[in-house]
Amino acid sequence: MRPMNILMVASEAAPFAKVGGLGDVVSSLAQHLSLLGNDVRVLLPFYSTIGEEHRKKFRPIPAVFSIHLGEEHFARIWEYVSPEKVCFYFLEYDRYYHRDRLYDSGGDGFDDNAYRFTFLCRAAIDLPDFLQWTPDIYHVHDWMAALVPVYLETVARRGRLAKTASVLTIHNLQHQGYADRSILAYGGLWDSLFRSDQLEACGGVNFLKGGIYFANKLSTVSRSYAEEIQWPEGGCGLHGLLRFRSGDLVGIINGIGEEDWNPATDGRIPHGFSAENLEGKAKCKGHFFREHWKPVAADAMPLFVVISRLYWQKGLDVLADILPWVVNGMAVRFAILGSGDASLENHFRFLGECFRDRIWVRIGYDESLSHLLEAAGDFFAMPSRFEPCGLNQLYSMRYGTLPIVRATGGLRESVQSYAGGVANGTGFVFQDLTHQSLHDAIGWACATYYDRPDDIRTMQRNGMAQDFSWKKSARRYLELYGWALEKKNNS
Ligand code: ADP
Ligand code: GLC
């Protein structure tokens, strides 16, 4: 396959801007595609939250960048080339991106999110002329970048981008991006797009719907999720359109950044370890208790870990409900790191106060602590209601921490369940998100820990031996880009 020019458009890319897995995936996929010989560039907003340690490496492109929305706007582009030769462009426009957080001020999304990301999408369309560089492919992620394919197939159909194709990856169908009809005039988009089979939904404009309609090819981040979203239960109102486009929709499981998440070399954990020698893992557990959970000491009790955004999707409200019951009935400890819904944050805080020696809670976002917890844990709980892919179960398996997951989306696809007596699994999988099922799954893991330690060791080794690299998935994306180009240029 010949090398391609690929422009990724996204609202997150680690380590610059990250709220969840989207940021990890955009950066690690871009790096991998670049290492395979492609010219990969990434456009994202220049958020004021980007740390000084990063921004001091950015260079401004001296020319003024004009963006052709309904009216012309002027912005600035900053550039940074990573060691893997991925070129990141940061779109500086303080009116939209100078905020304390990426998407919201702690509660609902910012009122002008639709404007902020229409701006990003139109900038992505104007960028190639500005750079005098033509992408073969726009790879756009989630609703925030979903208007790019709409522009590409309508107002930007001629000129430099006439042969450029688009791929839209859906990381999470629950968030679709809504605005009233006037966004079309703001964005310089045709009013005729306001049709129920294109951008219109419930009387407003639905960004993701437009992207799904217009992108040349579509993907989601696991095969199971690609299937689930074509049914009313998982389709968040878009299952009909997704079914209509199912011939162009594929599921490609996420890989992980193998350098960042390698227990043998991870600089954020105090002791390295590997499948052959898990001594360092036990030391990391000791370190966690000494440094973060005094006066409790590491002992024979298993440590169950949660690292997550605290939202409905993740099913952690059910965990919060049963935790008192769990710690009263089983010899286990829980360590929970997360932030999100204020009510769930408060619930976990309260549980931490009530059960100080059994439940440890840290509300907030802490990258270093997330690595330490992955290394220190015995089990990782992920009872998601839905999970397009999920990265933490992959990180957990890599770190010898057995995931306990609900059979949904990428969790179902990536974790092989323990089948009592035969230690061929990589974790514990349960079906229904009910209080009883989650309680029983935790009990199952706990009993196995105490009664069959050899099975636990074998499963740790099984998980650590899995290949979660981008090798296969990055090639599948390249294949998908090829199909998108064919579709665009042969139709
Ligand atoms: P999602 O993208 O739905 O949040 P994923 O499992 O794909 O779920 O990715 C979550 C990512 O965000 C992981 O890299 C995880 O470690 C990280 N993360 C989530 N919450 C926190 C937190 N409170 N502190 C540190 N990292 C977190
Ligand atoms: C989304 C999904 C998560 C997925 C991540 C990266 O945030 O919720 O399951 O792993 O995107 O693709």
Side-chain angles (χ1 to χ4, degrees):
M1 208 177 270
R2 72 172 175 87
M4 291 189 206
N5 290 350
I6 302 159
L7 180 56
M8 297 227 182
V9 186
S11 56
E12 296 180 33
F16 312 110
K18 170 182 159 185
V19 168
L22 171 66
D24 288 338
V25 169
V26 168
S27 293
S28 55
L29 173 61
Q31 279 171 18
H32 211 90
L33 291 170
S34 170
L35 295 173
L36 290 173
N38 300 285
D39 183 349
V40 189
R41 310 190 184 192
V42 181
L43 174 68
L44 74 155
F46 195 158
Y47 300 108
S48 51
T49 50
I50 296 176
E52 182 53 33
E53 71 279 20
H54 300 303
R55 53 172 70 215
K56 68 181 181 214
K57 297 186 210 144
F58 302 171
R59 295 279 158 267
I61 298 184
V64 173
F65 177 39
S66 59
I67 302 170
H68 301 92
L69 292 136
E71 287 168 8
E72 198 173 8
H73 289 60
F74 299 96
R76 189 153 54 153
I77 293 285
W78 295 70
E79 184 178 32
Y80 165 71
V81 181
S82 77
E84 298 81 11
K85 303 230 167 349
V86 176
C87 183
F88 289 89
Y89 296 115
F90 298 89
L91 174 64
E92 186 187 16
Y93 194 71
D94 281 0
R95 175 176 164 202
Y96 287 151
Y97 309 128
H98 193 93
R99 312 264 164 111
D100 290 344
R101 293 160 58 104
L102 265 51
Y103 305 126
D104 55 50
S105 51
D108 291 339
F110 293 125
D111 287 344
D112 59 352
N113 272 349
Y115 291 83
R116 300 170 75 218
F117 293 110
T118 300
F119 192 85
L120 175 70
C121 292
R122 181 66 225 201
I125 294 291
D126 288 322
L127 191 64
D129 269 343
F130 178 70
L131 299 173
Q132 295 295 301
W133 173 82
T134 308
D136 298 302
I137 288 288
Y138 276 99
H139 186 171
V140 306
H141 300 265
D142 277 349
W143 77 264
M144 302 79 147
L147 287 186
V148 171
V150 180
Y151 280 113
L152 207 56
E153 297 303 317
T154 57
V155 293
R157 209 176 154 74
R158 295 178 209 285
R160 179 185 289 276
L161 300 176
K163 290 185 174 313
T164 301
S166 62
V167 169
L168 166 65
T169 296
I170 301 166
H171 295 261
N172 194 330
L173 191 65
Q174 195 185 18
H175 307 292
Q176 301 181 1
Y178 296 102
D180 68 45
R181 188 174 184 164
S182 63
I183 198 78
L184 296 175
Y186 169 80
L189 282 162
W190 300 334
D191 201 51
S192 58
L193 293 168
F194 197 71
R195 286 173 27 175
S196 61
D197 61 338
Q198 296 189 356
L199 268 73
E200 189 274 337
C202 305
V205 168
N206 180 323
F207 285 44
L208 193 61
K209 184 175 178 184
I212 293 172
Y213 184 87
F214 282 106
N216 299 113
K217 289 283 168 182
L218 303 166
S219 73
T220 66
V221 286
S222 66
R223 267 182 291 117
S224 315
Y225 192 62
E227 182 60 32
E228 288 165 16
I229 58 178
Q230 295 180 47
W231 296 91
E233 211 182 313
C236 301
L238 294 180
H239 54 279
L241 178 59
L242 285 159
R243 183 65 76 81
F244 169 69
R245 295 241 32 211
S246 63
D248 293 311
L249 169 66
V250 300
I252 304 179
I253 191 105
N254 288 330
I256 63 177
E258 289 206 302
E259 297 298 306
D260 276 351
W261 291 96
N262 179 349
T265 56
D266 188 341
R268 290 185 250 210
I269 60 176
H271 306 277
F273 57 93
S274 63
E276 292 72 47
N277 185 352
L278 289 171
E279 233 172 79
K281 185 167 173 67
K283 289 187 181 160
C284 286
K285 188 170 175 182
H287 179 93
F288 166 69
F289 280 96
R290 263 193 320 278
E291 296 299 317
H292 299 279
W293 200 349
K294 276 186 236 153
V296 176
D299 56 16
M301 278 198 217
L303 179 64
F304 287 68
V305 170
V306 172
I307 303 163
S308 185
R309 295 184 297 116
L310 302 179
Y311 290 105
W312 181 84
Q313 171 191 350
K314 302 293 177 181
L316 293 166
D317 48 319
V318 180
L319 179 69
D321 285 345
I322 62 165
L323 265 186
W325 180 26
V326 167
V327 296
N328 279 330
M330 303 178 207
V332 298
R333 291 188 214 281
F334 269 79
I336 292 152
L337 167 65
S339 61
D341 273 347
S343 63
L344 200 49
E345 288 183 353
N346 288 337
H347 196 163
F348 278 121
R349 251 193 224 107
F350 173 72
L351 290 169
E353 280 160 22
C354 294
F355 300 92
R356 278 177 193 282
D357 60 339
R358 303 294 287 284
I359 303 174
W360 175 94
V361 176
R362 175 71 53 87
I363 298 301
Y365 185 93
D366 189 328
E367 198 86 33
S368 299
L369 206 48
S370 75
H371 285 247
L372 177 61
L373 284 171
E374 284 288 9
D378 297 293
F379 299 101
F380 192 99
M382 234 170 147
S384 306
R385 286 197 165 79
F386 71 94
E387 196 62 75
C389 177
L391 295 177
N392 276 114
Q393 84 281 14
L394 306 180
Y395 301 151
S396 297
M397 286 187 267
R398 197 103 210 276
Y399 281 62
T401 303
L402 300 182
I404 301 170
V405 302
R406 193 173 93 76
T408 180
L411 301 178
R412 177 210 305 272
E413 206 165 302
S414 57
V415 181
Q416 203 188 330
S417 192
Y418 176 58
V422 194
N424 56 355
T426 56
F428 297 82
V429 183
F430 67 100
Q431 296 297 322
D432 303 316
L433 185 59
T434 60
H435 293 132
Q436 188 68 52
S437 308
L438 179 56
H439 174 273
D440 292 353
I442 294 169
W444 181 23
C446 175
T448 312
Y449 178 89
Y450 285 114
D451 299 342
R452 307 187 76 113
D454 290 348
D455 285 4
I456 295 282
R457 291 286 159 280
T458 308
M459 282 198 284
Q460 285 179 308
R461 281 194 211 100
N462 293 345
M464 293 176 90
Q466 304 272 312
D467 180 4
F468 298 123
S469 72
W470 272 105
K471 267 182 229 116
K472 265 195 235 144
S473 295
R475 289 197 184 279
R476 291 209 59 210
Y477 274 113
L478 287 175
E479 207 172 25
L480 186 65
Y481 298 162
W483 295 335
L485 279 166
E486 238 173 73
K487 175 149 190 184
K488 169 93 185 201
N489 294 305
N490 297 338
S491 62

